[in-house]
Amino acid sequence: MEKRMKVSSSLLSVLSILLGIILVAFPETTMITICYIFAGCLLLVGLYYVVAYFRKDLMEAYYQFDLVIGMVILVIGICIIWKVDAVISMIPMFMGIVIFANGIVKLQHSIDLKRANFSGWIYVLIFALLCIAISIVLLLEPKSMAAIFTRMVGIGFVFSGVTDLITMFFLTKQIKMFKMAREEAAAIDVEAKEEPEEKETEQQEAVSRES
């Protein structure tokens, strides 16, 4: 059981490293492939809903929206395949909008802290300006930032896989040392129990000889 868990953990770590290397080396190709796979899954789900609608009888399907849901999902899947570059560019744009909104909130907090005469307001202002600057870059250069974002994710996968392997190596070594120490302690206990019994046996034999 322990060996099986070790092998599975090692395989997951190696797969994480390989995936990270692929993301770093081929960011655009990887993003396009992921979009196509996601679109294919949407098409399958959409077809399932459409087929499920036509297989139901009239009374069962009248109050449900399987056909509508299926058609909407199919259209989304087709749009992703048709405009995959636009979809990839939308990911950093969406992140840019979220980060920009977060930066504006921080900016308001810094102003409120300044009005309250709090000395640390300048640090909040710096964080706010950094968020706003990052969001502007994401919004102005979404395509190039998509590749950078993909590489960052890949670096994260590589780092995670390498650290998992290192952690497992030291953990396995520590477990082995703990088992050896426990076995040695058990052997010492056995020897300690056997010695009084041997002495008692020798004493009984000596008494029997004297008698």
Side-chain angles (χ1 to χ4, degrees):
M1 185 67 180
E2 182 181 341
K3 187 176 181 181
R4 189 183 302 172
M5 289 178 63
K6 192 190 302 181
V7 171
S8 60
S9 298
S10 300
L11 286 175
L12 287 174
S13 300
V14 172
L15 287 174
S16 177
I17 294 170
L18 291 176
L19 179 59
I21 293 172
I22 292 171
L23 288 171
V24 172
F26 311 102
E28 294 181 0
T29 305
T30 306
M31 287 292 290
I32 291 172
T33 304
I34 291 172
C35 286
Y36 282 141
I37 293 172
F38 180 65
C41 293
L42 289 178
L43 292 176
L44 290 175
V45 174
L47 286 172
Y48 170 79
Y49 274 100
V50 172
V51 172
Y53 169 78
F54 285 107
R55 292 186 67 179
K56 294 178 181 178
D57 57 51
L58 179 61
M59 295 304 297
E60 187 180 2
Y62 185 77
Y63 294 103
Q64 297 184 9
F65 300 97
D66 290 346
L67 181 62
V68 176
I69 294 171
M71 293 302 296
V72 170
I73 295 175
L74 284 173
V75 170
I76 293 173
I78 293 170
C79 288
I80 291 175
I81 295 173
W82 185 34
K83 294 290 185 181
V84 65
D85 292 333
V87 173
I88 293 173
S89 299
M90 285 174 63
I91 296 172
M93 287 182 68
F94 174 76
M95 291 175 58
I97 292 171
V98 173
I99 295 173
F100 181 79
N102 185 263
I104 295 299
V105 171
K106 283 185 174 62
L107 180 63
Q108 179 179 331
H109 288 335
S110 67
I111 295 171
D112 293 337
L113 292 172
K114 175 70 168 83
R115 294 173 65 185
N117 295 322
F118 180 69
S119 59
W121 69 272
I122 187 67
Y123 301 110
V124 182
L125 177 63
I126 292 171
F127 292 146
L129 295 177
L130 284 173
C131 288
I132 293 171
I134 293 170
S135 66
I136 291 172
V137 174
L138 288 170
L139 291 170
L140 293 179
E141 296 291 338
K143 192 169 183 179
S144 59
M145 292 307 297
I148 294 173
F149 174 75
T150 306
R151 285 193 174 97
M152 293 295 291
V153 174
I155 292 171
F157 274 111
V158 172
F159 179 78
S160 176
V162 171
T163 52
D164 285 345
L165 287 175
I166 294 172
T167 302
M168 188 178 62
F169 171 76
F170 284 112
L171 185 62
T172 304
K173 187 176 180 181
Q174 192 66 28
I175 290 173
K176 285 182 179 178
M177 292 175 63
F178 176 75
K179 285 183 177 179
M180 289 175 62
R182 189 172 61 179
E183 289 174 358
E184 290 177 358
I188 292 171
D189 289 340
V190 171
E191 290 178 358
K193 290 178 180 178
E194 288 177 350
E195 285 180 0
E197 292 178 356
E198 290 177 356
K199 288 181 179 180
E200 185 178 350
T201 304
E202 290 176 357
Q203 289 176 358
Q204 289 178 355
E205 289 178 353
V207 171
S208 61
R209 287 173 185 172
E210 291 177 358
S211 61

